[in-house]
Amino acid sequence: MASTTMSCCVLLIFIFLTSIMVAFSGDLNNDFEITWGDGRAKIINNGELLTLSLDKASGSGFQSKNEYLFGKIDMQLKLVSGNSAGTVTAYYLSSKGSTWDEIDFEFLGNLSGDPYILHTNVFSQGKGNREQQFYLWFDPTADFHTYSITWNPQRIIFSVDGTPIREFKNSESIGVPFPKNQPMRIYSSLWNADDWATRGGLVKTDWTQAPFTASYRNFNAEACVWSSGASSCASASTSSASSSWLSQELDTTGQDRLTWVQKNYMIYNYCTDTKRFPQGFPPECRTN
Ligand SMILES: *[C@@H]1O[C@H](CO)[C@@H](O)[C@H](O)[C@H]1NC(C)=O
């Protein structure tokens, strides 16, 4: 019985995976919609550029039109420059409901010349508390850089300009739920979080510098698109998908770069925070 069920599922997964869609459109209007901010978020330059802004009255945000179940999702971001202390630019994938899954990039602003913190987290079935934080090896406000999430059934890889900074492996075999059943949308927002973001809330947003602006361009998703209500992916593929991301794992170069980032730029890892977990680390810390 178990093996019949198994082969049925393997077959289904196979059918499902052969209908990968590649979203590669230059026009951000095709893939995203502005969701809040009363005019503070804009898609401009014929859909080439999206900007979010924040002032004292409000931040702003957008979301993807599609929901995705696995994919390699790239976006170029240029963060709020100058004195961005107190501001947070969140860029993440999330599903809905009380047992949601979520894969987060959050950029915590800082005083001019002081480093941003890139904060990452992974939620599965509504449970997060898996923070890792990094400084970057470049100024993320000076130019656009590519932030990628590779999400397949075995792992989630966070990358910056092609350099992996974090890998979250599927640890279901030791009882840790992994995001793999709930389609997720891409969300992004720019908002004020000066109660905690910069030096733990010590540095407040300087509203004389407002409006604050973050920019987005060159979205590229090689991903499985979930079509409304149907339990299979849309096959509106326009190009032959090289779906290597679906089974992607880190090769030696990737491993080396990950080690380099973790050694030189990681400033917080929940898996080494003994104060926080006096009774022992979460189980996935053993496999990750
Ligand atoms: C801001 O700069 C301070 C001082 O260099 C640093 O301790 C902190 O980690 C930086 N980033 C944030 C978001 O607070």
Side-chain angles (χ1 to χ4, degrees):
M1 186 59 203
S3 88
T4 318
T5 315
M6 192 60 172
S7 49
C8 126
C9 293
V10 168
L11 181 64
L12 273 180
I13 288 167
F14 178 75
I15 292 168
F16 162 87
L17 293 182
T18 50
S19 55
I20 302 299
M21 171 173 169
V22 180
F24 191 87
S25 72
D27 187 347
L28 293 166
N29 287 295
N30 295 336
D31 297 296
F32 297 100
E33 59 199 352
I34 305 296
T35 42
W36 62 286
D38 195 23
R40 288 175 182 79
K42 292 186 191 106
I43 299 177
I44 54 176
N45 297 0
N46 297 316
E48 270 176 25
L49 189 70
L50 189 156
T51 59
L52 291 184
S53 83
L54 162 71
D55 56 45
K56 201 163 187 181
S58 177
S60 54
F62 66 90
Q63 69 182 41
S64 62
K65 293 183 177 173
N66 286 320
E67 292 179 288
Y68 305 91
L69 187 62
F70 306 126
K72 179 176 186 304
I73 295 170
D74 306 331
M75 180 77 99
Q76 291 194 325
L77 275 75
K78 188 175 168 186
L79 300 172
V80 174
S81 64
N83 179 359
S84 59
T87 73
V88 171
T89 305
Y91 173 71
Y92 60 104
L93 290 168
S94 181
S95 66
K96 297 251 183 246
S98 57
T99 55
W100 79 101
D101 297 331
E102 187 176 315
I103 305 170
D104 291 335
F105 275 121
E106 275 187 330
F107 302 89
L108 318 184
N110 217 334
L111 295 168
S112 305
D114 281 346
Y116 262 72
I117 289 176
L118 171 49
H119 173 101
T120 63
N121 204 353
V122 175
F123 286 70
S124 53
Q125 309 269 300
K127 186 190 165 295
N129 299 325
R130 300 189 175 113
E131 301 84 358
Q132 283 188 0
Q133 297 185 332
F134 307 84
Y135 288 147
L136 293 162
W137 50 95
F138 53 83
D139 174 1
T141 73
D143 209 342
F144 284 91
H145 291 269
T146 305
Y147 301 89
S148 309
I149 293 169
T150 303
W151 170 34
N152 65 37
Q154 296 83 40
R155 54 182 46 80
I156 295 163
I157 301 169
F158 296 77
S159 318
V160 177
D161 290 334
T163 294
I165 61 162
R166 174 172 188 179
E167 180 180 26
F168 182 82
K169 288 185 188 147
N170 183 328
S171 305
E172 284 177 307
S173 63
I174 52 168
V176 181
F178 185 81
K180 60 158 201 213
N181 302 314
Q182 309 189 79
M184 303 204 239
R185 237 179 255 286
I186 302 167
Y187 296 88
S188 189
S189 55
L190 173 57
W191 42 288
N192 178 44
D194 67 1
D195 53 332
W196 63 272
T198 307
R199 300 183 61 189
L202 284 177
V203 187
K204 301 300 177 191
T205 303
D206 178 1
W207 293 111
T208 66
Q209 304 299 308
F212 303 98
T213 305
S215 308
Y216 302 74
R217 71 176 191 197
N218 289 347
F219 169 68
N220 183 31
E222 289 171 39
C224 211
V225 174
W226 193 262
S227 53
S228 48
S231 61
S232 73
C233 289
S235 56
S237 177
T238 48
S239 72
S240 58
S242 107
S243 47
S244 59
W245 55 267
L246 251 174
S247 55
Q248 188 177 329
E249 45 187 315
L250 294 174
D251 58 11
T252 6
T253 315
Q255 279 294 352
D256 288 352
R257 310 225 53 192
L258 180 70
T259 305
W260 174 76
V261 173
Q262 300 214 331
K263 185 163 167 264
N264 296 292
Y265 296 95
M266 187 156 74
I267 55 168
Y268 179 78
N269 181 4
Y270 75 110
C271 281
T272 57
D273 189 344
T274 42
K275 278 206 198 95
R276 185 174 173 191
F277 300 106
Q279 322 286 16
F281 295 118
E284 72 275 11
C285 292
R286 267 180 278 144
T287 43
N288 277 284

